[in-house]
Amino acid sequence: MVGFTACHSKGSTFAAYQTIIYDHIITNIGNAYDVRDGEFNVPYDGLYTFTVTGMAYSNTEMYFTLLKNGVYVQKMYSNLDTSDTSAFTTNLYLQAGDAIWVVNGGHDSGHLHPNNYNCFSVNNSTQHMVAFTACHSKGSTIGVHQTVLYDHVITNIGNAYDVRDGEFNVPYDGLYTFSITGMAYGNTDMYLTLFKNGVYVQKLYSNIGNADSSSLLRIFIFKLVMKFG
């Protein structure tokens, strides 16, 4: 069993491309997270789920960027114009010895909000090996009731996500957790809505007045555990 959750408590300033140190450790099962350098060191091969929350502060902006062995995986944006907490979740199949960490991926220094608003978590799945993470890369216009296609596939273990139609096809009965992040752009707003077999399940809202990725509250709403079969 491996998992950790750590938060940044001090409200420090981080230069461009500097590693964010999450100094307040809530959980560190297996001791795979190193608070000295902010890195999670993978102890064995397997599927790992990472969650990052972020909140910029003091007239700055931050691009929270997840790296695997120094290579870009995923990022989110938080700016000074809103007090929302941004968040994202990603699934990665990793090998023993891989290292994962978070940096300020912007071109300027950014200041983090103190009091543990900024956190970094991981857990390792030992159940059925089915998981995917995919992002929308093109900045497309999506019509009303049109399916959002997440074209940039980061992970697709079990090949249950079909990039051609944007659907996840359940391979077997069980509990599934879904996380969705959303950020509208270009003087528009979006209601990102999750469907199961064409029936409404849950939605989140993103508008032009908030440049952040979806808030922590909305992420928790969308982290649904659903029973299929």
Side-chain angles (χ1 to χ4, degrees):
M1 182 182 299
V2 175
F4 85 91
T5 296
C7 300
H8 182 78
S9 67
K10 301 176 181 178
S12 305
T13 298
F14 289 89
Y17 308 112
Q18 182 179 353
T19 300
I20 298 172
I21 304 297
Y22 298 91
D23 59 287
H24 175 62
I25 296 176
I26 298 172
T27 305
N28 195 11
I29 300 170
N31 295 314
Y33 173 71
D34 191 337
V35 70
R36 296 169 298 181
D37 59 14
E39 294 186 6
F40 172 73
N41 299 287
V42 178
Y44 50 78
D45 297 2
L47 176 64
Y48 294 81
T49 300
F50 294 87
T51 300
V52 177
T53 62
M55 185 174 179
Y57 192 60
S58 188
N59 295 327
T60 62
E61 59 184 9
M62 289 283 290
Y63 289 86
F64 296 87
T65 306
L66 187 72
L67 302 181
K68 171 190 171 184
N69 300 329
V71 178
Y72 166 83
V73 176
Q74 193 170 352
K75 67 181 176 183
M76 68 181 177
Y77 175 68
S78 179
N79 69 18
L80 70 164
D81 293 328
T82 174
S83 59
D84 278 357
T85 302
S86 300
F88 70 79
T89 298
T90 192
N91 296 292
L92 297 173
Y93 188 84
L94 301 173
Q95 296 180 323
D98 286 340
I100 306 291
W101 66 95
V102 180
V103 302
N104 172 18
H107 297 294
D108 299 306
S109 296
H111 193 81
L112 295 187
H113 200 292
N115 303 320
N116 301 319
Y117 284 98
N118 298 274
C119 299
F120 183 27
S121 298
V122 67
N123 66 75
N124 170 244
S125 175
T126 57
Q127 298 178 340
H128 298 287
M129 297 293 283
V130 173
F132 84 94
T133 297
C135 301
H136 182 79
S137 67
K138 300 176 181 179
S140 306
T141 298
I142 309 296
V144 177
H145 305 306
Q146 181 180 349
T147 300
V148 180
L149 297 181
Y150 298 92
D151 58 288
H152 176 61
V153 177
I154 297 172
T155 305
N156 195 11
I157 298 171
N159 295 314
Y161 173 71
D162 191 337
V163 71
R164 297 169 298 181
D165 60 13
E167 294 186 2
F168 172 74
N169 299 288
V170 177
Y172 51 80
D173 296 358
L175 292 173
Y176 292 78
T177 300
F178 297 89
S179 296
I180 297 177
T181 61
M183 183 175 172
Y185 190 63
N187 295 325
T188 62
D189 53 12
M190 288 283 289
Y191 289 87
L192 295 170
T193 307
L194 184 70
F195 285 87
K196 172 189 173 185
N197 299 330
V199 178
Y200 165 83
V201 176
Q202 184 59 279
K203 65 183 175 183
L204 65 81
Y205 175 68
S206 179
N207 66 19
I208 55 174
N210 181 350
D212 279 3
S213 304
S214 55
S215 71
L216 180 64
L217 174 61
R218 293 167 189 145
I219 283 294
F220 280 172
I221 290 173
F222 248 114
K223 258 195 151 175
L224 302 174
V225 178
M226 299 176 63
K227 174 72 175 179
F228 289 87

